[in-house]
PDB file of all heavy atoms in Angstrom:
ATOM      1  N   GLN A   1      -1.339  31.924  28.180  1.00  0.00           N
ATOM      2  CA  GLN A   1      -0.557  30.791  27.700  1.00  0.00           C
ATOM      3  C   GLN A   1      -0.012  29.987  28.876  1.00  0.00           C
ATOM      4  O   GLN A   1      -0.078  28.749  28.892  1.00  0.00           O
ATOM      5  CB  GLN A   1       0.601  31.256  26.816  1.00  0.00           C
ATOM      6  CG  GLN A   1       1.426  30.097  26.249  1.00  0.00           C
ATOM      7  CD  GLN A   1       2.689  30.554  25.541  1.00  0.00           C
ATOM      8  OE1 GLN A   1       3.404  31.446  26.021  1.00  0.00           O
ATOM      9  NE2 GLN A   1       2.971  29.973  24.388  1.00  0.00           N
ATOM     10  N   ASP A   2       0.508  30.687  29.877  1.00  0.00           N
ATOM     11  CA  ASP A   2       1.051  30.018  31.061  1.00  0.00           C
ATOM     12  C   ASP A   2      -0.034  29.234  31.787  1.00  0.00           C
ATOM     13  O   ASP A   2       0.201  28.106  32.254  1.00  0.00           O
ATOM     14  CB  ASP A   2       1.654  31.045  32.022  1.00  0.00           C
ATOM     15  CG  ASP A   2       2.821  31.816  31.426  1.00  0.00           C
ATOM     16  OD1 ASP A   2       3.208  31.524  30.273  1.00  0.00           O
ATOM     17  OD2 ASP A   2       3.329  32.724  32.105  1.00  0.00           O
ATOM     18  N   GLY A   3      -1.222  29.855  31.895  1.00  0.00           N
ATOM     19  CA  GLY A   3      -2.308  29.196  32.609  1.00  0.00           C
ATOM     20  C   GLY A   3      -2.753  27.916  31.935  1.00  0.00           C
ATOM     21  O   GLY A   3      -3.001  26.902  32.595  1.00  0.00           O
ATOM     22  N   VAL A   4      -2.858  27.946  30.606  1.00  0.00           N
ATOM     23  CA  VAL A   4      -3.259  26.735  29.872  1.00  0.00           C
ATOM     24  C   VAL A   4      -2.188  25.654  30.003  1.00  0.00           C
ATOM     25  O   VAL A   4      -2.497  24.490  30.270  1.00  0.00           O
ATOM     26  CB  VAL A   4      -3.531  27.059  28.395  1.00  0.00           C
ATOM     27  CG1 VAL A   4      -3.737  25.776  27.588  1.00  0.00           C
ATOM     28  CG2 VAL A   4      -4.755  27.962  28.263  1.00  0.00           C
ATOM     29  N   LEU A   5      -0.933  26.041  29.824  1.00  0.00           N
ATOM     30  CA  LEU A   5       0.156  25.067  29.945  1.00  0.00           C
ATOM     31  C   LEU A   5       0.183  24.438  31.334  1.00  0.00           C
ATOM     32  O   LEU A   5       0.409  23.230  31.486  1.00  0.00           O
ATOM     33  CB  LEU A   5       1.497  25.733  29.638  1.00  0.00           C
ATOM     34  CG  LEU A   5       2.746  24.846  29.784  1.00  0.00           C
ATOM     35  CD1 LEU A   5       2.646  23.606  28.908  1.00  0.00           C
ATOM     36  CD2 LEU A   5       3.999  25.648  29.433  1.00  0.00           C
ATOM     37  N   ASN A   6      -0.089  25.242  32.355  1.00  0.00           N
ATOM     38  CA  ASN A   6      -0.112  24.716  33.716  1.00  0.00           C
ATOM     39  C   ASN A   6      -1.170  23.632  33.866  1.00  0.00           C
ATOM     40  O   ASN A   6      -0.954  22.628  34.560  1.00  0.00           O
ATOM     41  CB  ASN A   6      -0.369  25.865  34.692  1.00  0.00           C
ATOM     42  CG  ASN A   6      -0.156  25.464  36.128  1.00  0.00           C
ATOM     43  OD1 ASN A   6      -1.083  25.016  36.796  1.00  0.00           O
ATOM     44  ND2 ASN A   6       1.058  25.621  36.604  1.00  0.00           N
ATOM     45  N   LEU A   7      -2.322  23.816  33.196  1.00  0.00           N
ATOM     46  CA  LEU A   7      -3.382  22.814  33.253  1.00  0.00           C
ATOM     47  C   LEU A   7      -3.068  21.594  32.393  1.00  0.00           C
ATOM     48  O   LEU A   7      -3.711  20.551  32.538  1.00  0.00           O
ATOM     49  CB  LEU A   7      -4.707  23.436  32.808  1.00  0.00           C
ATOM     50  CG  LEU A   7      -5.271  24.521  33.741  1.00  0.00           C
ATOM     51  CD1 LEU A   7      -6.494  25.169  33.110  1.00  0.00           C
ATOM     52  CD2 LEU A   7      -5.616  23.952  35.103  1.00  0.00           C
ATOM     53  N   CYS A   8      -2.094  21.723  31.501  1.00  0.00           N
ATOM     54  CA  CYS A   8      -1.691  20.612  30.629  1.00  0.00           C
ATOM     55  C   CYS A   8      -0.429  19.925  31.142  1.00  0.00           C
ATOM     56  O   CYS A   8       0.292  19.301  30.358  1.00  0.00           O
ATOM     57  CB  CYS A   8      -1.462  21.119  29.206  1.00  0.00           C
ATOM     58  SG  CYS A   8      -2.944  21.708  28.375  1.00  0.00           S
ATOM     59  N   ARG A   9      -0.167  20.022  32.416  1.00  0.00           N
ATOM     60  CA  ARG A   9       1.112  19.506  32.944  1.00  0.00           C
ATOM     61  C   ARG A   9       1.296  18.010  32.705  1.00  0.00           C
ATOM     62  O   ARG A   9       2.419  17.552  32.519  1.00  0.00           O
ATOM     63  CB  ARG A   9       1.224  19.823  34.437  1.00  0.00           C
ATOM     64  CG  ARG A   9       0.250  19.071  35.315  1.00  0.00           C
ATOM     65  CD  ARG A   9       0.256  19.581  36.732  1.00  0.00           C
ATOM     66  NE  ARG A   9      -0.319  20.920  36.802  1.00  0.00           N
ATOM     67  CZ  ARG A   9      -0.467  21.595  37.944  1.00  0.00           C
ATOM     68  NH1 ARG A   9      -0.070  21.069  39.067  1.00  0.00           N
ATOM     69  NH2 ARG A   9      -1.018  22.787  37.940  1.00  0.00           N
ATOM     70  N   VAL A  10       0.184  17.235  32.706  1.00  0.00           N
ATOM     71  CA  VAL A  10       0.348  15.798  32.473  1.00  0.00           C
ATOM     72  C   VAL A  10       0.826  15.527  31.048  1.00  0.00           C
ATOM     73  O   VAL A  10       1.496  14.517  30.791  1.00  0.00           O
ATOM     74  CB  VAL A  10      -0.945  15.016  32.773  1.00  0.00           C
ATOM     75  CG1 VAL A  10      -1.336  15.150  34.222  1.00  0.00           C
ATOM     76  CG2 VAL A  10      -2.080  15.435  31.862  1.00  0.00           C
ATOM     77  N   LYS A  11       0.497  16.416  30.125  1.00  0.00           N
ATOM     78  CA  LYS A  11       0.969  16.241  28.754  1.00  0.00           C
ATOM     79  C   LYS A  11       2.448  16.614  28.634  1.00  0.00           C
ATOM     80  O   LYS A  11       3.180  16.025  27.829  1.00  0.00           O
ATOM     81  CB  LYS A  11       0.126  17.088  27.797  1.00  0.00           C
ATOM     82  CG  LYS A  11      -1.358  16.730  27.821  1.00  0.00           C
ATOM     83  CD  LYS A  11      -1.606  15.275  27.447  1.00  0.00           C
ATOM     84  CE  LYS A  11      -3.092  14.958  27.409  1.00  0.00           C
ATOM     85  NZ  LYS A  11      -3.364  13.540  27.040  1.00  0.00           N
ATOM     86  N   LEU A  12       2.894  17.576  29.453  1.00  0.00           N
ATOM     87  CA  LEU A  12       4.320  17.883  29.517  1.00  0.00           C
ATOM     88  C   LEU A  12       5.073  16.712  30.163  1.00  0.00           C
ATOM     89  O   LEU A  12       6.196  16.382  29.757  1.00  0.00           O
ATOM     90  CB  LEU A  12       4.549  19.165  30.309  1.00  0.00           C
ATOM     91  CG  LEU A  12       5.994  19.632  30.453  1.00  0.00           C
ATOM     92  CD1 LEU A  12       6.641  19.882  29.094  1.00  0.00           C
ATOM     93  CD2 LEU A  12       6.068  20.891  31.318  1.00  0.00           C
ATOM     94  N   ARG A  13       4.439  16.089  31.138  1.00  0.00           N
ATOM     95  CA  ARG A  13       4.990  14.860  31.726  1.00  0.00           C
ATOM     96  C   ARG A  13       5.195  13.802  30.653  1.00  0.00           C
ATOM     97  O   ARG A  13       6.276  13.196  30.532  1.00  0.00           O
ATOM     98  CB  ARG A  13       4.022  14.338  32.797  1.00  0.00           C
ATOM     99  CG  ARG A  13       4.350  12.976  33.376  1.00  0.00           C
ATOM    100  CD  ARG A  13       3.109  12.317  33.968  1.00  0.00           C
ATOM    101  NE  ARG A  13       2.135  11.963  32.931  1.00  0.00           N
ATOM    102  CZ  ARG A  13       0.889  11.594  33.183  1.00  0.00           C
ATOM    103  NH1 ARG A  13       0.435  11.556  34.429  1.00  0.00           N
ATOM    104  NH2 ARG A  13       0.077  11.258  32.183  1.00  0.00           N
ATOM    105  N   ASP A  14       4.167  13.600  29.810  1.00  0.00           N
ATOM    106  CA  ASP A  14       4.243  12.568  28.781  1.00  0.00           C
ATOM    107  C   ASP A  14       5.240  12.921  27.691  1.00  0.00           C
ATOM    108  O   ASP A  14       5.835  12.020  27.073  1.00  0.00           O
ATOM    109  CB  ASP A  14       2.859  12.325  28.184  1.00  0.00           C
ATOM    110  CG  ASP A  14       1.902  11.711  29.193  1.00  0.00           C
ATOM    111  OD1 ASP A  14       2.380  11.232  30.240  1.00  0.00           O
ATOM    112  OD2 ASP A  14       0.684  11.718  28.943  1.00  0.00           O
ATOM    113  N   GLN A  15       5.423  14.208  27.432  1.00  0.00           N
ATOM    114  CA  GLN A  15       6.431  14.630  26.462  1.00  0.00           C
ATOM    115  C   GLN A  15       7.807  14.128  26.868  1.00  0.00           C
ATOM    116  O   GLN A  15       8.595  13.667  26.039  1.00  0.00           O
ATOM    117  CB  GLN A  15       6.437  16.161  26.342  1.00  0.00           C
ATOM    118  CG  GLN A  15       7.479  16.708  25.376  1.00  0.00           C
ATOM    119  CD  GLN A  15       7.218  16.282  23.940  1.00  0.00           C
ATOM    120  OE1 GLN A  15       6.087  16.335  23.471  1.00  0.00           O
ATOM    121  NE2 GLN A  15       8.246  15.852  23.239  1.00  0.00           N
ATOM    122  N   GLN A  16       8.092  14.178  28.151  1.00  0.00           N
ATOM    123  CA  GLN A  16       9.396  13.722  28.640  1.00  0.00           C
ATOM    124  C   GLN A  16       9.478  12.201  28.708  1.00  0.00           C
ATOM    125  O   GLN A  16      10.530  11.609  28.439  1.00  0.00           O
ATOM    126  CB  GLN A  16       9.650  14.335  30.021  1.00  0.00           C
ATOM    127  CG  GLN A  16       9.749  15.865  29.961  1.00  0.00           C
ATOM    128  CD  GLN A  16       9.728  16.498  31.323  1.00  0.00           C
ATOM    129  OE1 GLN A  16      10.766  16.631  31.977  1.00  0.00           O
ATOM    130  NE2 GLN A  16       8.539  16.901  31.770  1.00  0.00           N
ATOM    131  N   ARG A  17       8.364  11.548  29.026  1.00  0.00           N
ATOM    132  CA  ARG A  17       8.348  10.083  29.058  1.00  0.00           C
ATOM    133  C   ARG A  17       8.560   9.504  27.664  1.00  0.00           C
ATOM    134  O   ARG A  17       9.117   8.410  27.509  1.00  0.00           O
ATOM    135  CB  ARG A  17       7.014   9.586  29.614  1.00  0.00           C
ATOM    136  CG  ARG A  17       6.787   9.885  31.088  1.00  0.00           C
ATOM    137  CD  ARG A  17       5.371   9.498  31.511  1.00  0.00           C
ATOM    138  NE  ARG A  17       5.094   8.098  31.221  1.00  0.00           N
ATOM    139  CZ  ARG A  17       3.957   7.668  30.679  1.00  0.00           C
ATOM    140  NH1 ARG A  17       3.012   8.523  30.335  1.00  0.00           N
ATOM    141  NH2 ARG A  17       3.782   6.381  30.446  1.00  0.00           N
ATOM    142  N   LEU A  18       8.107  10.253  26.655  1.00  0.00           N
ATOM    143  CA  LEU A  18       8.183   9.782  25.273  1.00  0.00           C
ATOM    144  C   LEU A  18       9.617   9.519  24.837  1.00  0.00           C
ATOM    145  O   LEU A  18       9.867   8.659  23.981  1.00  0.00           O
ATOM    146  CB  LEU A  18       7.525  10.816  24.358  1.00  0.00           C
ATOM    147  CG  LEU A  18       7.207  10.425  22.916  1.00  0.00           C
ATOM    148  CD1 LEU A  18       6.291   9.209  22.874  1.00  0.00           C
ATOM    149  CD2 LEU A  18       6.552  11.595  22.190  1.00  0.00           C
ATOM    150  N   ALA A  19      10.551  10.229  25.433  1.00  0.00           N
ATOM    151  CA  ALA A  19      11.960  10.038  25.085  1.00  0.00           C
ATOM    152  C   ALA A  19      12.485   8.661  25.502  1.00  0.00           C
ATOM    153  O   ALA A  19      13.535   8.218  25.018  1.00  0.00           O
ATOM    154  CB  ALA A  19      12.809  11.128  25.731  1.00  0.00           C
ATOM    155  N   HIS A  20      11.747   7.984  26.366  1.00  0.00           N
ATOM    156  CA  HIS A  20      12.212   6.690  26.887  1.00  0.00           C
ATOM    157  C   HIS A  20      11.374   5.519  26.397  1.00  0.00           C
ATOM    158  O   HIS A  20      11.464   4.418  26.937  1.00  0.00           O
ATOM    159  CB  HIS A  20      12.206   6.733  28.420  1.00  0.00           C
ATOM    160  CG  HIS A  20      13.044   7.834  28.985  1.00  0.00           C
ATOM    161  ND1 HIS A  20      14.428   7.790  29.031  1.00  0.00           N
ATOM    162  CD2 HIS A  20      12.697   9.049  29.483  1.00  0.00           C
ATOM    163  CE1 HIS A  20      14.891   8.912  29.557  1.00  0.00           C
ATOM    164  NE2 HIS A  20      13.872   9.694  29.833  1.00  0.00           N
ATOM    165  N   GLY A  21      10.551   5.767  25.364  1.00  0.00           N
ATOM    166  CA  GLY A  21       9.781   4.666  24.801  1.00  0.00           C
ATOM    167  C   GLY A  21       8.328   5.045  24.603  1.00  0.00           C
ATOM    168  O   GLY A  21       7.891   6.141  24.980  1.00  0.00           O
ATOM    169  N   PRO A  22       7.542   4.164  23.983  1.00  0.00           N
ATOM    170  CA  PRO A  22       6.138   4.468  23.693  1.00  0.00           C
ATOM    171  C   PRO A  22       5.321   4.650  24.966  1.00  0.00           C
ATOM    172  O   PRO A  22       5.624   4.078  26.017  1.00  0.00           O
ATOM    173  CB  PRO A  22       5.674   3.242  22.897  1.00  0.00           C
ATOM    174  CG  PRO A  22       6.606   2.148  23.302  1.00  0.00           C
ATOM    175  CD  PRO A  22       7.921   2.802  23.555  1.00  0.00           C
ATOM    176  N   LEU A  23       4.271   5.439  24.850  1.00  0.00           N
ATOM    177  CA  LEU A  23       3.360   5.686  25.969  1.00  0.00           C
ATOM    178  C   LEU A  23       2.300   4.581  25.948  1.00  0.00           C
ATOM    179  O   LEU A  23       1.337   4.640  25.184  1.00  0.00           O
ATOM    180  CB  LEU A  23       2.722   7.070  25.825  1.00  0.00           C
ATOM    181  CG  LEU A  23       3.722   8.236  25.691  1.00  0.00           C
ATOM    182  CD1 LEU A  23       2.988   9.540  25.382  1.00  0.00           C
ATOM    183  CD2 LEU A  23       4.567   8.379  26.947  1.00  0.00           C
ATOM    184  N   LYS A  24       2.487   3.598  26.777  1.00  0.00           N
ATOM    185  CA  LYS A  24       1.698   2.367  26.669  1.00  0.00           C
ATOM    186  C   LYS A  24       0.223   2.537  27.031  1.00  0.00           C
ATOM    187  O   LYS A  24      -0.604   1.701  26.657  1.00  0.00           O
ATOM    188  CB  LYS A  24       2.331   1.279  27.541  1.00  0.00           C
ATOM    189  CG  LYS A  24       3.719   0.864  27.065  1.00  0.00           C
ATOM    190  CD  LYS A  24       4.292  -0.251  27.924  1.00  0.00           C
ATOM    191  CE  LYS A  24       5.671  -0.672  27.420  1.00  0.00           C
ATOM    192  NZ  LYS A  24       6.254  -1.762  28.241  1.00  0.00           N
ATOM    193  N   GLU A  25      -0.115   3.586  27.761  1.00  0.00           N
ATOM    194  CA  GLU A  25      -1.526   3.791  28.115  1.00  0.00           C
ATOM    195  C   GLU A  25      -2.275   4.562  27.025  1.00  0.00           C
ATOM    196  O   GLU A  25      -3.488   4.743  27.112  1.00  0.00           O
ATOM    197  CB  GLU A  25      -1.647   4.522  29.460  1.00  0.00           C
ATOM    198  CG  GLU A  25      -1.341   6.015  29.424  1.00  0.00           C
ATOM    199  CD  GLU A  25       0.143   6.343  29.451  1.00  0.00           C
ATOM    200  OE1 GLU A  25       0.975   5.420  29.321  1.00  0.00           O
ATOM    201  OE2 GLU A  25       0.479   7.531  29.598  1.00  0.00           O
ATOM    202  N   TYR A  26      -1.557   5.019  26.005  1.00  0.00           N
ATOM    203  CA  TYR A  26      -2.184   5.730  24.895  1.00  0.00           C
ATOM    204  C   TYR A  26      -2.720   4.723  23.874  1.00  0.00           C
ATOM    205  O   TYR A  26      -2.127   3.649  23.688  1.00  0.00           O
ATOM    206  CB  TYR A  26      -1.179   6.656  24.211  1.00  0.00           C
ATOM    207  CG  TYR A  26      -1.029   8.014  24.883  1.00  0.00           C
ATOM    208  CD1 TYR A  26      -0.552   8.120  26.187  1.00  0.00           C
ATOM    209  CD2 TYR A  26      -1.357   9.189  24.219  1.00  0.00           C
ATOM    210  CE1 TYR A  26      -0.409   9.351  26.812  1.00  0.00           C
ATOM    211  CE2 TYR A  26      -1.214  10.432  24.815  1.00  0.00           C
ATOM    212  CZ  TYR A  26      -0.743  10.502  26.118  1.00  0.00           C
ATOM    213  OH  TYR A  26      -0.604  11.730  26.725  1.00  0.00           O
ATOM    214  N   PRO A  27      -3.815   5.042  23.198  1.00  0.00           N
ATOM    215  CA  PRO A  27      -4.407   4.076  22.254  1.00  0.00           C
ATOM    216  C   PRO A  27      -3.538   3.798  21.028  1.00  0.00           C
ATOM    217  O   PRO A  27      -3.802   2.839  20.296  1.00  0.00           O
ATOM    218  CB  PRO A  27      -5.736   4.741  21.860  1.00  0.00           C
ATOM    219  CG  PRO A  27      -5.583   6.177  22.190  1.00  0.00           C
ATOM    220  CD  PRO A  27      -4.661   6.243  23.360  1.00  0.00           C
ATOM    221  N   GLN A  28      -2.510   4.607  20.799  1.00  0.00           N
ATOM    222  CA  GLN A  28      -1.583   4.316  19.697  1.00  0.00           C
ATOM    223  C   GLN A  28      -0.777   3.044  19.971  1.00  0.00           C
ATOM    224  O   GLN A  28      -0.255   2.428  19.039  1.00  0.00           O
ATOM    225  CB  GLN A  28      -0.616   5.492  19.495  1.00  0.00           C
ATOM    226  CG  GLN A  28      -1.228   6.713  18.828  1.00  0.00           C
ATOM    227  CD  GLN A  28      -1.914   7.649  19.804  1.00  0.00           C
ATOM    228  OE1 GLN A  28      -2.170   7.290  20.947  1.00  0.00           O
ATOM    229  NE2 GLN A  28      -2.224   8.859  19.361  1.00  0.00           N
ATOM    230  N   PHE A  29      -0.676   2.660  21.222  1.00  0.00           N
ATOM    231  CA  PHE A  29       0.083   1.458  21.585  1.00  0.00           C
ATOM    232  C   PHE A  29      -0.820   0.238  21.460  1.00  0.00           C
ATOM    233  O   PHE A  29      -1.981   0.273  21.880  1.00  0.00           O
ATOM    234  CB  PHE A  29       0.593   1.603  23.027  1.00  0.00           C
ATOM    235  CG  PHE A  29       1.373   0.429  23.519  1.00  0.00           C
ATOM    236  CD1 PHE A  29       2.715   0.281  23.183  1.00  0.00           C
ATOM    237  CD2 PHE A  29       0.784  -0.546  24.312  1.00  0.00           C
ATOM    238  CE1 PHE A  29       3.439  -0.807  23.638  1.00  0.00           C
ATOM    239  CE2 PHE A  29       1.496  -1.642  24.762  1.00  0.00           C
ATOM    240  CZ  PHE A  29       2.828  -1.769  24.423  1.00  0.00           C
ATOM    241  N   PRO A  30      -0.356  -0.890  20.880  1.00  0.00           N
ATOM    242  CA  PRO A  30       1.019  -1.153  20.439  1.00  0.00           C
ATOM    243  C   PRO A  30       1.225  -1.025  18.930  1.00  0.00           C
ATOM    244  O   PRO A  30       2.341  -1.141  18.450  1.00  0.00           O
ATOM    245  CB  PRO A  30       1.207  -2.606  20.856  1.00  0.00           C
ATOM    246  CG  PRO A  30      -0.151  -3.212  20.632  1.00  0.00           C
ATOM    247  CD  PRO A  30      -1.150  -2.140  20.964  1.00  0.00           C
ATOM    248  N   ASN A  31       0.134  -0.801  18.180  1.00  0.00           N
ATOM    249  CA  ASN A  31       0.253  -0.893  16.725  1.00  0.00           C
ATOM    250  C   ASN A  31       0.471   0.443  16.023  1.00  0.00           C
ATOM    251  O   ASN A  31       0.900   0.473  14.872  1.00  0.00           O
ATOM    252  CB  ASN A  31      -1.013  -1.564  16.158  1.00  0.00           C
ATOM    253  CG  ASN A  31      -1.222  -2.953  16.722  1.00  0.00           C
ATOM    254  OD1 ASN A  31      -0.279  -3.734  16.807  1.00  0.00           O
ATOM    255  ND2 ASN A  31      -2.447  -3.262  17.131  1.00  0.00           N
ATOM    256  N   GLY A  32       0.187   1.534  16.703  1.00  0.00           N
ATOM    257  CA  GLY A  32       0.340   2.833  16.074  1.00  0.00           C
ATOM    258  C   GLY A  32       1.761   3.370  16.207  1.00  0.00           C
ATOM    259  O   GLY A  32       2.641   2.738  16.806  1.00  0.00           O
ATOM    260  N   GLU A  33       1.962   4.552  15.642  1.00  0.00           N
ATOM    261  CA  GLU A  33       3.279   5.173  15.693  1.00  0.00           C
ATOM    262  C   GLU A  33       3.255   6.406  16.584  1.00  0.00           C
ATOM    263  O   GLU A  33       2.267   7.142  16.643  1.00  0.00           O
ATOM    264  CB  GLU A  33       3.736   5.576  14.284  1.00  0.00           C
ATOM    265  CG  GLU A  33       3.974   4.403  13.349  1.00  0.00           C
ATOM    266  CD  GLU A  33       4.520   4.855  12.003  1.00  0.00           C
ATOM    267  OE1 GLU A  33       4.705   6.093  11.832  1.00  0.00           O
ATOM    268  OE2 GLU A  33       4.743   3.996  11.137  1.00  0.00           O
ATOM    269  N   PHE A  34       4.343   6.618  17.293  1.00  0.00           N
ATOM    270  CA  PHE A  34       4.526   7.812  18.112  1.00  0.00           C
ATOM    271  C   PHE A  34       5.526   8.725  17.418  1.00  0.00           C
ATOM    272  O   PHE A  34       6.583   8.273  16.972  1.00  0.00           O
ATOM    273  CB  PHE A  34       5.034   7.442  19.506  1.00  0.00           C
ATOM    274  CG  PHE A  34       3.998   6.793  20.378  1.00  0.00           C
ATOM    275  CD1 PHE A  34       3.809   5.414  20.354  1.00  0.00           C
ATOM    276  CD2 PHE A  34       3.203   7.557  21.218  1.00  0.00           C
ATOM    277  CE1 PHE A  34       2.851   4.810  21.155  1.00  0.00           C
ATOM    278  CE2 PHE A  34       2.238   6.965  22.022  1.00  0.00           C
ATOM    279  CZ  PHE A  34       2.063   5.588  21.991  1.00  0.00           C
ATOM    280  N   GLY A  35       5.173  10.010  17.339  1.00  0.00           N
ATOM    281  CA  GLY A  35       6.095  10.976  16.756  1.00  0.00           C
ATOM    282  C   GLY A  35       6.999  11.571  17.824  1.00  0.00           C
ATOM    283  O   GLY A  35       7.297  10.936  18.848  1.00  0.00           O
ATOM    284  N   GLN A  36       7.398  12.810  17.607  1.00  0.00           N
ATOM    285  CA  GLN A  36       8.315  13.456  18.536  1.00  0.00           C
ATOM    286  C   GLN A  36       7.606  14.235  19.629  1.00  0.00           C
ATOM    287  O   GLN A  36       8.245  14.662  20.589  1.00  0.00           O
ATOM    288  CB  GLN A  36       9.251  14.401  17.760  1.00  0.00           C
ATOM    289  CG  GLN A  36      10.175  13.675  16.787  1.00  0.00           C
ATOM    290  CD  GLN A  36      11.123  14.631  16.094  1.00  0.00           C
ATOM    291  OE1 GLN A  36      10.831  15.819  15.943  1.00  0.00           O
ATOM    292  NE2 GLN A  36      12.270  14.117  15.674  1.00  0.00           N
ATOM    293  N   ALA A  37       6.290  14.435  19.493  1.00  0.00           N
ATOM    294  CA  ALA A  37       5.538  15.221  20.474  1.00  0.00           C
ATOM    295  C   ALA A  37       4.427  14.378  21.089  1.00  0.00           C
ATOM    296  O   ALA A  37       3.973  13.382  20.512  1.00  0.00           O
ATOM    297  CB  ALA A  37       4.937  16.459  19.810  1.00  0.00           C
TER     298      ALA A  37
END
């Protein structure tokens, strides 16, 4: 579990960025919705 999470660090980065607004480089932007994760 630790090893996989370590390889997913950019997604943990984005989890924290999400608290400050939509992730503009994701295809959900600008018309889709972002949830809590």
Side-chain angles (χ1 to χ4, degrees):
Q1 182 188 43
D2 298 357
V4 171
L5 177 57
N6 191 270
L7 293 173
C8 294
R9 68 189 69 178
V10 298
K11 300 301 183 180
L12 181 59
R13 172 203 68 192
D14 293 346
Q15 179 65 45
Q16 296 169 86
R17 292 173 56 224
L18 193 58
H20 303 284
L23 305 173
K24 295 182 179 180
E25 75 279 9
Y26 276 63
Q28 286 86 346
F29 179 81
N31 301 315
E33 294 184 0
F34 288 88
Q36 295 183 334

